[in-house]
Amino acid sequence: MRIAHIITRLILGGAQENTILNCQGLIQDHGDDVVLITGPGLGPEGSLEEDARRRGIPLRIVPAMRRAIHPWRDAATLRELKAAIREFRPEVVHTHSGKAGLLGRYAAWQLNVPAIVHTVHGAPFHAYQSWAAREFFRRCEMFAAKRCHAIISVADAMTDQLVSAGVAPREKFTTIYSGMEVEPFLVAEQHRQRVRRELGFDDQHIVVGQIARLFHLKGHADLIAAAEKLAGDHAQLRFLLVGDGILRAELEASIDRAGLRDRFRFTGLVPPSRIPELIAATDLAVHTSYREGLARVLPQALLAGRPVVSYNIDGAREVVVNNETGYLVAPRDACGLAAAIAKLATDADLRHRLAATGRERCRERFDHHTMTKRIRELYQSLLV
């Protein structure tokens, strides 16, 4: 097949890693002719452009494509996308993310591409926006949904949200879990002692890891509040924050005010290849984001043998099952978060049991070869 993937930017992130692995799988496993069209990888999150090139994925950069709304730049982006599609002549156009999803689908539809597919990695409208913004983005998604043949959700929760919002009928959606390279997580334990020493953790420390950009709606302040509640009775607890972002100075100040400077470690921005060993250095993982399609860190932690505590949002409940693979907590509930962390921190057998169950459930479901196979079968069904 000839397949054009379009994504707004190749920053470090789950949607971007998913897209790169999908393109790589189509090329290497199925012999397809693929191009990945993207805007510049700008932003403090870091870029995955070089990683994509190392994997043998042809890139076409559209300089005008940006995440923010900008009428003149967006008009230029639409023209450039049409030019790229005309030149490549794909049978399939597969879009990702808000801006590329809207403009990419519109361009492909106008050019009568035989199969147009969009992946919802996370709904672009949500409860933390103003009503006007939420309604604007909902209507944009309705417009774009009418200009594609199928929509992939990375979790059933995404389908439920978009169907209930009137974006598209349920029959247009297919759930395909976001794929990843599972092997590095399955063998990550071998790095545990080395990485813990590098980070300054001792054998008696119970390390709670959080992997997320230091941005709004990621809930880091809730984890700090939970850590403050736990500090007195759990002297062995330590917290590892993996990622960087605009809130780092603010979070460090909050930690200092709480007197927890010796309890927290920040790694800053790290390449995706380091995530398995950093998870291995922890004893459990937490995810406190207020909105997320299905956070990749949840299956990643379970694959690496670590139970998870997550806010009960979006697709999290499709991976985190209470007392089976971890614990779900209501968003913003710092007391509930602290209680779940304490329960796991004080019971090694429980941690091992939950993680073992989660690993078996995630091993095949989140393998990127499985994801690519199912996506390609969807393409084929549309081209019949």
Side-chain angles (χ1 to χ4, degrees):
M1 296 184 191
R2 293 179 64 82
I3 304 159
H5 278 260
I6 308 176
I7 192 166
T8 306
R9 52 185 183 155
L10 282 179
I11 59 169
L12 268 69
Q16 291 75 17
E17 292 174 25
N18 165 300
T19 303
I20 287 172
L21 288 171
N22 190 5
C23 291
Q24 181 184 11
L26 291 167
I27 294 168
Q28 295 182 358
D29 297 349
H30 301 279
D32 293 325
D33 193 0
V34 176
V35 65
L36 176 52
I37 304 169
T38 181
L42 304 174
E45 303 90 346
S47 174
L48 289 175
E49 287 181 15
E50 286 308 310
D51 178 62
R53 290 189 177 97
R54 281 194 299 270
R55 294 173 184 270
I57 301 168
L59 295 185
R60 176 155 177 166
I61 308 299
V62 176
M65 187 149 60
R66 301 285 200 282
R67 184 170 182 265
I69 296 171
H70 189 290
W72 299 115
R73 194 176 282 145
D74 294 344
T77 297
L78 183 61
R79 288 194 300 271
E80 291 184 57
L81 289 176
K82 285 183 177 180
I85 293 169
R86 283 195 194 97
E87 180 181 323
F88 187 66
R89 294 178 293 105
E91 298 164 87
V92 180
V93 164
H94 187 160
T95 64
H96 309 260
S97 61
K99 180 64 67 68
L102 175 63
L103 297 180
R105 280 182 278 181
Y106 184 50
W109 190 262
Q110 287 194 318
L111 295 173
N112 298 310
V113 173
I116 304 170
V117 178
H118 177 66
T119 291
V120 179
H121 299 275
F125 51 89
H126 53 84
Y128 300 98
Q129 295 166 321
S130 67
W131 178 88
R134 190 163 61 248
E135 183 63 13
F136 172 75
F137 289 119
R138 187 184 76 86
R139 289 182 179 274
C140 285
E141 286 302 305
M142 291 175 64
F143 173 86
K146 290 181 173 66
R147 288 155 180 84
C148 68
H149 302 101
I151 300 173
I152 296 171
S153 297
V154 298
D156 291 338
M158 293 294 92
T159 297
D160 294 341
Q161 285 183 25
L162 270 66
V163 170
S164 64
V167 168
R170 188 171 294 274
E171 56 267 22
K172 201 161 196 171
F173 292 85
T174 300
T175 296
I176 301 177
Y177 289 112
S178 184
M180 59 195 67
E181 294 174 307
V182 300
E183 188 63 25
F185 295 95
L186 297 175
V187 301
E189 191 67 24
Q190 63 185 311
H191 304 292
R192 177 178 172 84
Q193 292 304 321
R194 172 182 60 81
V195 178
R196 284 174 71 95
R197 286 195 301 270
E198 291 173 358
L199 294 169
F201 297 132
D202 296 332
D203 290 344
Q204 74 272 19
H205 290 149
I206 303 297
V207 181
V208 179
Q210 182 171 21
I211 301 173
R213 293 181 297 145
L214 308 183
F215 274 60
H216 301 288
L217 302 182
K218 293 297 184 181
H220 290 89
D222 297 352
L223 180 61
I224 295 170
E228 192 171 5
K229 296 177 187 300
L230 292 164
D233 295 330
H234 300 274
Q236 81 282 16
L237 274 180
R238 296 294 184 272
F239 298 85
L240 178 65
L241 301 186
V242 179
D244 209 346
I246 60 175
L247 296 183
R248 177 159 181 170
E250 181 180 322
L251 294 172
E252 289 179 328
S254 296
I255 290 167
D256 287 341
R257 285 194 298 271
L260 298 173
R261 169 57 64 180
D262 64 327
R263 300 294 190 101
F264 279 81
R265 303 282 190 280
F266 287 79
T267 68
L269 198 64
V270 300
S273 59
R274 286 210 66 202
I275 298 301
E277 65 180 41
L278 289 167
I279 293 177
T282 71
D283 296 281
L284 63 137
V286 299
H287 184 65
T288 56
S289 179
Y290 297 161
R291 58 177 297 268
E292 199 103 25
L294 199 167
R296 291 164 72 82
V297 69
L298 299 176
Q300 286 173 346
L302 291 168
L303 287 165
R306 303 297 179 264
V308 289
V309 177
S310 174
Y311 278 167
N312 189 4
I313 58 155
D314 300 337
R317 65 187 68 93
E318 295 171 42
V319 175
V320 185
V321 181
N322 279 325
N323 212 38
E324 292 186 21
T325 63
Y327 294 100
L328 292 168
V329 178
R332 299 183 185 271
D333 182 3
C335 290
L337 182 63
I341 291 171
K343 186 177 180 67
L344 287 169
T346 55
D347 192 335
D349 289 341
L350 177 63
R351 294 198 301 272
H352 296 152
R353 176 175 65 81
L354 299 183
T357 301
R359 172 179 282 194
E360 289 309 307
R361 293 183 182 181
C362 294
R363 189 190 297 261
E364 182 177 358
R365 182 188 297 183
F366 290 94
D367 188 296
H368 72 96
H369 296 288
T370 302
M371 172 191 72
T372 298
K373 179 176 179 289
R374 291 200 60 205
I375 289 174
R376 198 173 189 280
E377 288 170 350
L378 177 62
Y379 296 163
Q380 290 173 318
S381 72
L382 297 173
L383 291 171
V384 171

